Amino acid sequence: MSPKKTDAPSLEKAWRHALLDVFARVGTGLADPSPTDEAVHAARRELKRLAALTRLAPASLRPLARDTRAAADLARKALGGRRDAAVLARLIETSALKLGSSEPAVRAAVENIAKPLAADALAEARGLLEGLRAQWGAAAVADAELVERAVKTYRRARRLMRKAQDGSAKALHSWRGAVVAHHYQMAFMARLAPSLKSRAKAVDALRDRLGDWNDIDMLQVHTRRALDRADRRALGEAVADDKEKLVKAAGKAGLDLFERRARDFAGTLREALATATVA
């Protein structure tokens, strides 16, 4: 079949096709009873992609979208203990020299938070997602709201970026979540409109910076109770420079990416998608 320009129904169909593809990858990723750390990480990324794409749902499908995000969140939490421990262990390796004599205590604290896969919760989430996938496959998709929903995600990320300028951990975590959703939505649209690829790549780089900051912050939060005052201070000093650099770099990138008002971004998005093609 030769490519054709996307009208609203074709765009909606492309979105649902992408959504079902993610469901399939999620199903494969959750089926392994003994996944590697890399497989756990990949499964969690696909679950985040699934949640982000459901936020593009038209009004008629929003209840189904909410149920899907709840099931995806359940699965991510079931995988979380394995993922967190692996990430934090790797992070310690990169800062071992800076930690000095506190390194054994920090390493032991990380080992103590490691959790096995929550098998029962994972099985429940897998069952829920399988049923939800069938509902998405059968659902009627007619409402042309996809661009409006993507702009809403952009607007939220822009608003949270401003709040994150105070450098508070809570604000940065919230902004990171919005950036992740925006990235996955732009990555989907860039497949249809190549002119959006540069934005998707830049947002992905911002996401990586915020993700690295999150890992450092998570290391401090998860080990706080297990460390004495001296070791907490040593850990804080060991990661302070990296944490500050990541926040500054993310803030600069965010100002560039979210400088335009939402209605201006909407115009750019509509223009790009007007000339997009689908097979």
Side-chain angles (χ1 to χ4, degrees), residues 25-268:
R25 292 196 295 274
V26 166
T28 300
L30 299 184
D32 188 349
S34 302
T36 62
D37 290 340
E38 291 74 15
V40 168
H41 179 64
R44 282 173 55 87
R45 286 184 69 93
E46 291 303 318
L47 288 161
K48 290 180 181 179
R49 189 191 307 273
L50 181 63
L53 291 181
T54 64
R55 292 190 179 279
L56 298 177
S60 59
L61 297 178
R62 285 174 198 165
L64 180 57
R66 285 193 294 268
D67 290 345
T68 302
R69 290 194 294 274
D73 191 50
L74 178 62
R76 283 197 307 109
K77 289 179 179 178
L79 296 168
R82 273 281 301 275
R83 183 267 178 193
D84 291 350
V87 168
L88 298 186
R90 286 195 296 270
L91 187 57
I92 290 175
E93 296 300 330
T94 66
S95 58
L97 294 178
K98 297 181 184 178
L99 287 169
S101 61
S102 293
E103 188 267 339
V106 176
R107 185 182 297 277
V110 169
E111 291 174 352
N112 286 337
I113 69 168
K115 298 178 182 177
L117 292 176
D120 291 343
L122 198 59
E124 179 186 357
R126 185 166 62 245
L128 289 171
L129 288 166
E130 288 173 355
L132 290 163
R133 179 187 180 187
Q135 292 183 55
W136 280 107
V141 179
D143 305 34
E145 297 182 15
L146 192 144
V147 171
E148 289 81 356
R149 300 296 290 176
V151 172
K152 183 177 181 179
T153 301
Y154 172 91
R155 183 182 293 110
R156 180 171 181 267
R158 186 172 187 263
R159 174 173 53 83
L160 291 174
M161 175 198 69
R162 291 176 173 176
K163 290 186 176 181
Q165 289 176 356
D166 68 1
S168 73
K170 182 178 179 180
L172 284 164
H173 281 298
S174 296
W175 183 35
R176 173 175 170 264
V179 168
V180 168
H182 180 57
H183 166 243
Y184 280 131
Q185 291 175 8
M186 289 299 97
F188 156 65
M189 292 183 178
R191 291 166 52 191
L192 305 175
S195 63
L196 296 174
K197 286 184 178 180
S198 60
R199 179 171 186 86
K201 183 176 180 180
V203 177
D204 191 26
L206 170 58
R207 171 191 175 165
D208 283 343
R209 291 189 183 100
L210 289 171
D212 289 344
W213 171 86
N214 174 73
D215 291 342
I216 295 173
D217 189 65
M218 186 170 59
L219 175 61
Q220 291 180 281
V221 170
H222 284 345
T223 59
R224 185 172 296 147
R225 291 185 178 181
L227 298 177
D228 62 24
R229 182 177 299 178
D231 290 331
R232 286 198 301 271
R233 184 184 303 111
L235 176 58
E237 292 173 352
V239 300
D241 287 346
D242 288 342
K243 212 172 181 181
E244 182 179 0
K245 289 177 182 177
L246 287 166
V247 170
K248 287 183 177 179
K252 183 177 183 300
L255 288 173
D256 291 338
L257 286 165
F258 299 102
E259 178 183 12
R260 290 177 296 168
R261 292 178 296 179
R263 67 182 181 183
D264 296 329
F265 174 72
T268 299

